[in-house]
Amino acid sequence: MTLRKPATTCRTTLLAGCAVLALLAGVPSSGAAGADADWNPAASERLVKLPPHLLKKAVDRDYQASGLAAAISDTGSRISAKGQTLADLKGAAEKADGELRLELQHQFLVEKQAYVRLMGERLELRARQAETRRKLYETLLSKAQRQGAARDSVTAGLAAARQAARERFASSLESVDMQVFGSEFAPESRYGAEYARNKAAMD
């Protein structure tokens, strides 16, 4: 004798799965990394004359007002939303069966790929921010050095800021939570394997 699931349980599972798919249909896809993400700080004489702690604040304010900062923030928000979508899909697929389960599992893999792409975009944007900051400090340091030894303290501060920018670039190569890439749906997905190879190369 074959046991059947109660009709109410099947109906609830079906509705939950359809609700998740309907939600995904309304989520806009992400564009290319940094389409309008610009940060073009000016190496002005005013910055050269600032003491190190005020220089950093001035550069940070300029960055926060830039399109690049907005793009990084937006990408971070989309990564968080994508992570929640993955969790919702995984939960819905575990409760579903038949064709609905297969559809949810497929959508889960599609969203995994989008998640990896978003992480790559944020990494690219952060690297761009760190490189722009480093180049700014390089230019400011050159200007300060041309003004002579009287500005040794400023030169030392700029050199320290440049080094900090380099270290920030290195630290921007962040790790991704690899739990996202491992599941009963795809224990060794090609996206997870690809990320692991890229991360090892960056390290």
Side-chain angles (χ1 to χ4, degrees), residues 71-72 119-120 127 129 133 157:
I72 291 176
M119 292 301 299
Q129 183 262 126
R133 189 181 294 263

Side-chain angles (χ1 to χ4, degrees), residues 4-182:
R4 295 184 177 181
K5 290 184 179 179
T8 53
T9 301
C10 293
R11 188 180 303 111
T12 301
T13 299
L14 178 62
L15 289 174
C18 290
V20 172
L21 291 175
L23 179 61
L24 289 171
V27 175
S29 60
S30 63
D36 297 312
D38 293 324
W39 180 33
N40 300 300
S44 65
E45 291 297 328
R46 182 183 67 84
L47 287 179
V48 174
K49 296 176 181 178
L50 289 176
H53 67 287
L54 293 181
L55 170 64
K56 183 181 183 304
K57 288 182 179 180
V59 173
D60 286 344
R61 278 198 304 270
D62 189 78
Y63 163 69
Q64 290 299 333
S66 70
L68 181 57
I72 291 176
S73 177
D74 176 67
T75 304
S77 297
R78 286 190 285 136
I79 287 172
S80 296
K82 190 67 67 179
Q84 184 59 54
T85 295
L86 287 170
D88 291 343
L89 280 169
K90 185 174 183 293
E94 288 172 347
K95 297 176 183 178
D97 51 24
E99 292 185 4
L100 177 58
R101 180 180 177 86
L102 291 176
E103 175 60 28
L104 289 170
Q105 288 175 351
H106 171 72
Q107 190 62 46
F108 181 85
L109 295 179
V110 171
E111 294 301 311
K112 265 189 178 183
Q113 183 182 22
Y115 183 90
V116 173
R117 185 166 57 249
L118 281 172
M119 292 301 299
E121 288 182 12
R122 184 166 68 173
L123 181 62
E124 177 187 335
L125 291 169
R126 285 184 170 178
R128 187 187 306 176
Q129 183 262 126
E131 180 64 7
T132 301
R133 189 181 294 263
R134 184 192 66 79
K135 288 181 178 179
L136 172 64
Y137 288 136
E138 289 279 6
T139 303
L140 292 172
L141 182 58
S142 296
K143 285 187 174 183
Q145 289 173 336
R146 285 197 300 269
Q147 292 177 5
R151 305 205 58 80
D152 281 347
S153 62
V154 174
T155 301
L158 287 170
R162 178 186 59 182
Q163 181 60 31
R166 287 175 174 170
E167 293 172 358
R168 177 176 296 187
F169 175 78
S171 67
S172 70
L173 304 178
E174 62 189 79
S175 299
V176 174
D177 184 357
M178 291 304 293
Q179 290 181 356
V180 172
F181 303 109

